[in-house]
Amino acid sequence: DTPLKNGELPHFTLTHRISGASGADPADLLLQKASREASDILRNWRTSPGEAIRKALQLPDVGLETLGHSPRADALVGIAMLSFNKHPDVAKDALKELSKVAADYPLLVQSRYWLMAAGVSYRMKDTARANELVDRTVTAAAKLYEKDSNSDSPNRAFKFDWPSAGVWRACLILQ
């Protein structure tokens, strides 16, 4: 920020946190626990599908800001993907709940889950629901584009790499 004076050496500070190195971060522990519980739900969903959805809805939404996904939403998507062939009613219930929870997520994360739900809906031959989800995602992409192209704080990345462009590309692929 300011030029170095004669004889002055640059000072750099680099911090890298290694998980578990200096005590566990409570947020990491919560995410790990929730991810394990989500995996257990997906392993055992056939035993009681309704219970699996109920348990998935009780998982915390950790990791949204840092990782861009949620154990809760991941479990719901997983249930839908595992069940749509033989238990379409279970898949529909899981997608319905996913749609509700994703509505409160950040736009990019929201788009991700709505596109996943649209993909499962297409596989279930529910094109009306799939198209509705894609339309919602296009609306979210338009909001992302407003952020990307904001003249006060524009996204300086190559436009192809903008979040809005990625979401629109995925919508086109699903259409």
Side-chain angles (χ1 to χ4, degrees):
D1 301 0
T2 58
L4 295 175
K5 298 175 184 165
N6 278 344
E8 189 177 27
L9 297 173
H11 296 278
F12 294 101
T13 302
L14 180 64
T15 304
H16 180 74
R17 188 174 67 80
I18 300 172
S19 182
S22 63
D25 181 12
D28 286 346
L29 291 175
L30 182 60
L31 179 61
Q32 290 169 6
K33 180 179 185 247
S35 295
R36 280 191 310 272
E37 290 173 4
S39 294
D40 289 343
I41 290 168
L42 294 177
R43 260 193 307 279
N44 302 311
W45 74 270
R46 284 183 184 88
T47 309
S48 176
E51 181 70 9
I53 292 172
R54 188 188 64 72
K55 285 181 179 179
L57 288 169
Q58 292 176 351
L59 292 171
D61 273 332
V62 293
L64 284 173
E65 306 302 326
T66 55
L67 301 175
H69 67 90
S70 150
R72 178 186 301 170
D74 289 344
L76 291 168
V77 165
I79 292 168
M81 289 179 168
L82 291 169
S83 65
F84 78 88
N85 270 334
K86 295 183 180 179
H87 303 281
D89 53 324
V90 173
K92 283 183 183 180
D93 290 346
L95 292 176
K96 179 180 166 192
E97 295 300 333
L98 174 66
S99 190
K100 288 182 205 174
V101 262
D104 295 329
Y105 292 170
L107 289 171
L108 190 57
V109 179
Q110 188 180 80
S111 298
R112 176 178 184 246
Y113 286 114
W114 283 345
L115 288 167
M116 292 170 130
V120 173
S121 296
Y122 276 128
R123 288 184 196 101
M124 293 174 60
K125 309 290 188 247
D126 187 355
T127 55
R129 179 71 177 141
N131 288 334
E132 176 189 326
L133 288 162
V134 170
D135 289 345
R136 268 195 217 177
T137 308
V138 167
T139 301
K143 291 176 186 174
L144 286 168
Y145 179 76
E146 287 176 20
K147 288 182 181 181
D148 286 336
S149 61
N150 179 346
S151 60
D152 295 331
S153 177
N155 187 334
R156 300 214 185 276
F158 184 59
K159 288 182 182 180
F160 185 82
D161 295 328
W162 283 5
S164 57
V167 172
W168 272 323
R169 275 192 308 277
C171 288
L172 287 173
I173 290 169
L174 278 175
Q175 288 276 321

